[in-house]
Amino acid sequence: MSTPSDARTVLVTGAAGFIGSHTAVELVTAGYDVVGVDNFANSSPGAVERIRRLADGPGSFEFVELDLRDRAALTGLLRRRPVDAAIHFAARKAVGESVDAPLEYYDTNVNATLGLVATMLDRGVSRLVFSSSCSIYGDARTVPLREDAPAGPTNPYARTKWMCEQILADICHRHPSWHVTSLRYFNPAGAHPSGLLGEDPRGIPNNVLPYIAQVAVGRRAELSIFGDDYPTPDGTGIRDYIHVVDIAEGHRLALERLDEAPGHRVINLGTGRGTSVRELLTAFSAACGRRLPSQVVARRPGDVAELVADPSLAAALLGWKSTRDVADMCRDAWNFQRLNPDGYDDTDSGGTGK
Ligand code: NAD
Ligand code: WQD
């Protein structure tokens, strides 16, 4: 696999997290030297051990525990270990929590991004791939969503992502040598096919697929379906679920193609296919071999009927297209959940390999 000769060493922030860990494995396997950082605010050291087990070259993986808001620590790291590019995942991501703790969200998501950018400027690093989100589109009523759909973030979390995109556009305007791609993911789901890496949310899962997985493994009694009176074929909400390994591949391609265009560009990562909550539950039931219990409850405030990506820009600019479907996501998420019923807490005993 070819990599640009001048972007071999990559800083990955949030490397122990759900998407960061899969991307670290993808990059090391493709020959990159990855320097991962995380403060374990929403992850555990067990994930780092799993990355090491999966990412056995030809590239390398170094991990440093670090709070990205600590600019001195980040500067010290990049002095010791110069990098050619960065992929910035580290953030807080729970929409509801962001309404209750906006300061924490602006501090972690915006302030830490400012610190990263300042440190990159200081160290002469001008390539960045940034984790953005479909939540920027807010209450968009037209699907599928193209990148030029108007932004309308409706909560502090989404606003932090929108602010970061604007900050990055301004930095690129001021520094024409910068190359930045913001990837707007739709609904990441699934797990590594090995069963070693997956989504391990703390507390009660906010997102539907990890919740279903915990019902399947017996940690939760039943799925609460948030409303079945939406204007969709079965009345439940429709989303564009995208396999985390497809997302990881999207990051590698975005990195490899950064140099093709200076400035800031924004690209959706989604499949272009929508799946309802009921369809997802049926697919997971098929994956785990039993019908999973559910009950319909009231709509969750802030939810919209349907969010689906138009992924054609990613195909045109990155040569990227999702290759895994909802059945794959359910199979891999179930495999991870069944091998790691308590997530990474029981680290190193789970995940028996392929
Ligand atoms: P995650 O919580 O699993 O990973 C984020 C990681 O960042 C965690 O390991 C956490 O410990 C770390 N982190 C948080 N604050 C930090 C700090 N101050 N210093 C260092 N590390 C810190 O989340 P994820 O699902 O892997 O998401 C990764 C990125 O993708 C985030 O920026 C998120 O906003 C974005 N995103 C996620 C989704 C999704 O549904 N998963 C969708 C769209 C965008
Ligand atoms: C999906 C569908 C729910 C839980 C969120 C963020 C977004 C992005 C992705 C970060 C909806 C329904 C859910 C449950 C349910 N993350 N649901 N029962 O809300 O589309 O997007 O994650 O950037 O910003 O907002 O994802 O998984 O929470 O919900 O019925 O217990 O499942 O109503 O239709 P969402 P989700």
Side-chain angles (χ1 to χ4, degrees):
M1 216 169 289
S2 69
T3 60
S5 58
D6 47 357
R8 298 205 65 88
T9 305
V10 184
L11 175 72
V12 175
T13 77
F18 175 45
I19 305 173
S21 58
H22 288 81
T23 303
V25 170
E26 169 74 21
L27 292 178
V28 174
T29 307
Y32 290 92
D33 297 319
V34 171
V35 183
V37 300
D38 204 298
N39 69 349
F40 301 125
N42 193 40
S43 51
S44 79
V48 174
E49 291 315 308
R50 305 284 180 92
I51 295 170
R52 291 195 203 288
R53 281 165 69 178
L54 285 168
D56 58 354
S60 65
F61 181 68
E62 176 187 353
F63 180 80
V64 178
E65 184 174 345
L66 177 152
D67 188 321
L68 205 60
R69 291 167 295 187
D70 183 345
R71 292 190 190 190
L74 185 62
T75 303
L77 171 63
L78 296 190
R79 284 215 171 102
R80 175 178 70 74
R81 190 80 206 270
V83 301
D84 307 304
I87 304 184
H88 179 33
F89 293 106
R92 301 183 73 112
K93 63 165 180 177
V95 169
E97 186 187 58
S98 78
V99 176
D100 293 334
L103 189 59
E104 187 65 34
Y105 271 69
Y106 287 110
D107 188 33
T108 303
N109 295 10
V110 180
N111 195 21
T113 301
L114 288 174
L116 173 65
V117 168
T119 309
M120 289 173 65
L121 280 167
D122 178 57
R123 302 309 307 151
V125 183
S126 57
R127 297 187 187 92
L128 175 67
V129 178
F130 174 67
S131 286
S132 192
S133 165
C134 67
S135 59
I136 277 180
Y137 297 117
D139 289 337
R141 292 282 174 240
T142 49
V143 290
L145 281 153
R146 284 163 36 125
E147 291 78 354
D148 55 5
T154 59
N155 56 71
Y157 165 74
R159 274 188 281 279
T160 67
K161 293 293 173 184
W162 177 228
M163 285 176 190
C164 286
E165 283 196 9
Q166 291 172 295
I167 289 166
L168 294 171
D170 288 342
I171 295 291
C172 288
H173 182 72
R174 170 65 183 81
H175 299 280
S177 63
W178 272 54
H179 297 69
V180 180
T181 296
S182 290
L183 297 175
R184 291 179 179 167
Y185 330 139
F186 278 65
N187 288 60
H192 195 273
S194 65
L196 282 169
L197 291 177
E199 197 166 5
D200 181 21
R202 301 218 158 149
I204 301 172
N206 294 305
N207 295 118
V208 68
L209 202 105
Y211 199 103
I212 294 174
Q214 292 194 5
V215 173
V217 84
R219 276 171 72 179
R220 314 265 162 215
E222 62 184 3
L223 175 72
S224 296
I225 297 177
F226 296 151
D228 67 351
D229 56 352
Y230 285 104
T232 60
D234 68 15
T236 66
I238 290 180
R239 297 291 183 272
D240 186 340
Y241 298 95
I242 163 97
H243 198 295
V244 65
V245 176
D246 279 325
I247 294 207
E249 289 171 4
H251 284 78
R252 176 178 56 74
L253 288 165
L255 184 69
E256 287 171 3
R257 301 184 77 155
L258 271 179
D259 286 351
E260 288 178 6
H264 179 236
R265 55 185 188 180
V266 172
I267 302 176
N268 287 338
L269 290 187
T271 66
R273 289 181 301 276
T275 303
S276 74
V277 178
R278 280 202 194 285
E279 288 170 335
L280 192 65
L281 193 62
T282 301
F284 207 100
S285 295
C288 72
R290 80 182 170 95
R291 196 171 162 274
L292 297 174
S294 65
Q295 67 158 328
V296 176
V297 301
R299 289 183 180 190
R300 184 172 62 180
D303 276 354
V304 296
E306 186 172 4
L307 273 180
V308 176
D310 178 338
S312 46
L313 194 63
L317 296 183
L318 304 181
W320 176 90
K321 204 166 154 303
S322 67
T323 61
R324 296 160 182 89
D325 64 13
V326 162
D328 298 322
M329 293 174 224
C330 292
R331 181 199 60 223
D332 293 337
W334 171 236
N335 192 37
F336 176 74
Q337 190 71 65
R338 134 186 112 72
L339 293 170
N340 309 271
D342 299 314
Y344 293 118
D345 282 350
D346 188 21
T347 193
D348 286 339
S349 62
T352 54
K354 296 173 182 74

